Amino acid sequence: MTELADRFLPYGRHRVDEDDIEAVARVLRGDFLTTGPAVEAFEGRLAEITGADFAVSCSSGTAALHLATMAMGLGPGDKAVVPTITFLATANAVRYVGADVVFCDVDADSGLMRPRDLERAIAEHGAAIKAVLPVHLAGQSPDLAGIAEIARRHGVTVIEDASHALGAAYPGRGGEAAVGSCRDGEMAAFSFHPVKTVAMGEGGAVTTNDPALAARMGKLRSHGMVRDGAADPWIYEMPEIGFNYRASDIHCALGLSQLGKLDGFVERRRRLAARYDQLLAPLNPVVRPLAHMPGCRPAWHLYVALFDFNGAGIGRAELMGRLKKQGIGSQVHYIPVHSQPYYRDLYGKTELPGARAYYARCLSLPLFPAMADDDPERVVAAIESALKRT
Ligand SMILES: Cc1ncc(COP(=O)(O)O)c(C=O)c1O
């Protein structure tokens, strides 16, 4: 792992140790490669960690979001509010069920949607808005209590896209809440893609406190099949159509092993992010950290820095190229989803100024637990030298 520091530093990377490999190997030597005990164990542990009553595992974060939109009954004629600064999957999960996306703006300095963004969408689209999908961008939470309060008043279901934020906490209704506890929403979707805090290869889950939603997602992830109650043992019925979105025991064994390391992963990410904050401070106002939400304890999945590229006299592509030459990866999270050709063709051009200002400045720097202690120094020194050469 440590030799990574001498090689290329990607913006994110999983950390898999020998005990993770052994956990997977045990499943491979056992009786169940799928629908076995590792799936239940993983779900039980995830429910414990988040404090939610139920965790339903599935094959990806995208599948998790789709299960959530299906389970709540979102469909044609309905609309769902999605912050435009997110990964494609948040919006696509709304389209998969035939509903329409209402893209909302975000705060230019944090990239997070605000309660007023939901309020504005409801004012413009009225009762057609049936869901909102707030995103815990980079591992930091939006004002969920504020969003949930508006959602409740208007009968809007809250599906959190918590893909980035396992292990984070935020100021919820009635005090600090764990991300995924669903204190301020009906469901929270997670991704366990390798760049996320916990890796399954591909994997996802939805947490909820609603037994009916949990049961429905359990059926929908397995074709919509129901087996209970039939007199004949071979009978299964499909009252509604579902998918094969199951996570295998192989994936869940890796996920369970990784969940055991969550605290250490989050702590390490927090320490590295704090070091970046310190090292970048002298470059302010040309480079700034993301605005921090008061009362949040983020589980930094990404370290996003905001660059004044105009002020620095360097384009983003040029900076990324110079960093790459010095062995440092960087990435943009995210291109506003409403500007994607599919959504532009569907809904026309939309002006979202906060998102435009955020997108113009964001660049994600390397952040992952296996980074060496002095890697942030190496990254910031490379940024300084790249900026000086303009
Ligand atoms: C915010 C967000 N939502 C959803 C997803 C989809 O997750 P997955 O890649 O596991 O399908 C991702 C992953 O990239 C994401 O970053």
Side-chain angles (χ1 to χ4, degrees):
M1 286 287 171
T2 43
E3 71 271 21
L4 201 64
D6 308 322
R7 295 186 274 117
F8 190 76
L9 263 186
Y11 85 83
R13 194 185 195 284
H14 60 273
R15 177 177 179 144
V16 170
D17 300 318
E18 284 307 314
D19 59 330
D20 298 311
I21 294 169
E22 187 44 44
V24 173
R26 270 197 301 277
V27 167
L28 291 173
R29 290 189 204 103
D31 293 329
F32 293 93
L33 297 189
T34 193
T35 56
V39 176
E40 263 176 50
F42 172 74
E43 292 178 338
R45 188 75 193 102
L46 185 62
E48 260 171 38
I49 286 171
T50 56
D53 289 344
F54 307 96
V56 180
S57 66
C58 58
S59 52
S60 69
T62 305
L65 288 161
H66 188 191
L67 285 172
T69 55
M70 282 192 285
M72 68 156 281
L74 194 71
D78 298 336
K79 296 183 179 181
V81 181
V82 174
T84 191
I85 298 295
T86 185
F87 184 57
L88 305 168
T90 323
N92 291 353
V94 174
R95 294 297 298 145
Y96 295 157
V97 294
D100 279 302
V101 182
V102 174
F103 287 106
C104 75
D105 206 3
V106 299
D107 173 63
D109 296 325
S110 68
L112 297 167
M113 78 172 283
R114 300 147 296 191
R116 74 173 128 106
D117 299 309
L118 175 60
E119 233 154 21
R120 171 181 284 207
I122 292 171
E124 283 175 15
H125 298 268
I129 305 253
K130 294 290 194 300
V132 58
L133 288 89
V135 176
H136 296 260
L137 187 71
Q140 177 169 241
S141 304
D143 175 0
L144 255 194
I147 290 168
E149 204 275 312
I150 297 162
R152 221 176 17 259
R153 250 190 291 129
H154 294 272
V156 170
T157 298
V158 178
I159 300 172
E160 298 168 52
D161 186 338
S163 296
H164 293 185
L166 184 65
Y170 70 96
R173 268 180 300 161
E176 188 176 81
V179 169
S181 63
C182 298
R183 171 124 29 111
D184 297 279
E186 279 69 28
M187 290 172 275
F190 291 94
S191 163
F192 303 111
H193 178 278
V195 295
K196 304 297 191 289
T197 302
V198 156
M200 282 170 73
E202 295 283 357
V206 186
T207 56
T208 184
N209 296 317
D210 182 329
L213 287 173
R216 184 136 195 247
M217 288 187 284
K219 287 176 204 147
L220 288 168
R221 76 172 165 189
S222 208
H223 309 279
M225 273 163 53
V226 183
R227 281 187 184 276
D228 10 284
D232 296 317
W234 69 88
I235 293 292
Y236 52 83
E237 287 190 323
M238 193 188 81
E240 62 177 334
I241 194 158
F243 295 80
N244 180 353
Y245 276 168
R246 295 185 302 264
S248 74
D249 280 54
I250 304 167
H251 291 89
C252 287
L254 178 56
L256 181 61
S257 178
Q258 291 255 301
L259 284 180
K261 301 169 187 184
L262 177 64
D263 290 348
F265 285 165
V266 169
E267 191 42 47
R268 177 92 185 126
R269 284 172 176 277
R270 283 185 183 142
R271 231 174 317 130
L272 290 163
R275 187 73 187 123
Y276 271 129
D277 286 350
Q278 242 175 11
L279 292 166
L280 288 172
L283 300 186
N284 194 310
V286 173
V287 190
R288 294 172 204 238
L290 278 187
H292 289 196
M293 289 293 284
C296 265
R297 285 197 298 125
W300 294 113
H301 153 57
L302 298 170
Y303 188 87
V304 179
L306 299 175
F307 285 76
D308 175 3
F309 292 108
N310 285 336
I314 183 172
R316 181 160 44 195
E318 179 65 27
L319 177 64
M320 289 175 81
R322 288 183 193 176
L323 292 177
K324 193 171 173 191
K325 277 199 195 119
Q326 299 196 59
I328 289 158
S330 57
Q331 192 47 273
V332 172
H333 297 95
Y334 289 97
I335 302 167
V337 183
H338 75 281
S339 68
Q340 291 295 339
Y342 170 83
Y343 285 111
R344 241 188 12 237
D345 289 351
L346 201 59
Y347 301 130
K349 242 180 129 208
T350 316
E351 226 354 272
L352 297 171
R356 179 159 35 83
Y358 169 87
Y359 171 56
R361 295 178 296 155
C362 65
L363 191 67
S364 303
L365 307 178
L367 183 70
F368 51 95
M371 276 170 72
D373 285 342
D374 58 358
D375 276 338
E377 269 92 342
R378 183 182 152 204
V379 174
V380 174
I383 291 170
E384 280 171 328
S385 98
L387 293 176
K388 273 189 204 131
R389 284 203 283 131
T390 54

